[in-house]
Amino acid sequence: IDDHGGSIFAGLEHGRPEYAEDFPHWFGTAQEASIGDLARGYGADYREVTTTDELVGALAAPVRGRSVLHVRVGIDPSALAEMSLPPQGL
């Protein structure tokens, strides 16, 4: 899942609602790496899927060796702000 970088951190303390205003500045770090080139560099098959039907078909296909399915998604800042974490200390 490729959101162009950053929202993986929304599940951490930094993603708490009280930090929503600062989160994109510090953690919404767009990356410019080619996922396809990286996958091929590690000897993995690479396929970008752009529709739900393509994704369903790709996930249903047998896996042989290393493979990367690249699914681009948008970032929804309101969804990031709504994520909640357990209270500190748990």
Side-chain angles (χ1 to χ4, degrees):
I1 305 293
D2 179 7
D3 67 359
H4 204 58
S7 27
I8 190 170
F9 298 109
L12 302 174
E13 180 180 353
H14 320 303
R16 291 184 185 274
E18 61 264 35
Y19 305 125
E21 186 176 322
D22 296 320
F23 182 88
H25 175 73
W26 294 104
F27 295 99
T29 54
Q31 51 83 20
E32 299 299 328
S34 167
I35 304 300
D37 288 345
L38 288 169
R40 287 185 285 273
Y42 282 100
D45 289 332
Y46 169 82
R47 179 175 172 192
E48 182 172 352
V49 294
T50 58
T51 68
T52 302
D53 288 341
E54 282 184 80
L55 179 60
V56 169
L59 292 173
V63 176
R64 291 181 178 84
R66 291 186 198 139
S67 63
V68 173
L69 289 178
H70 188 181
V71 182
R72 295 177 195 264
V73 298
I75 297 175
D76 180 354
S78 63
L80 295 178
E82 292 172 9
M83 291 183 73
S84 61
L85 297 172
Q88 294 263 4
L90 291 181

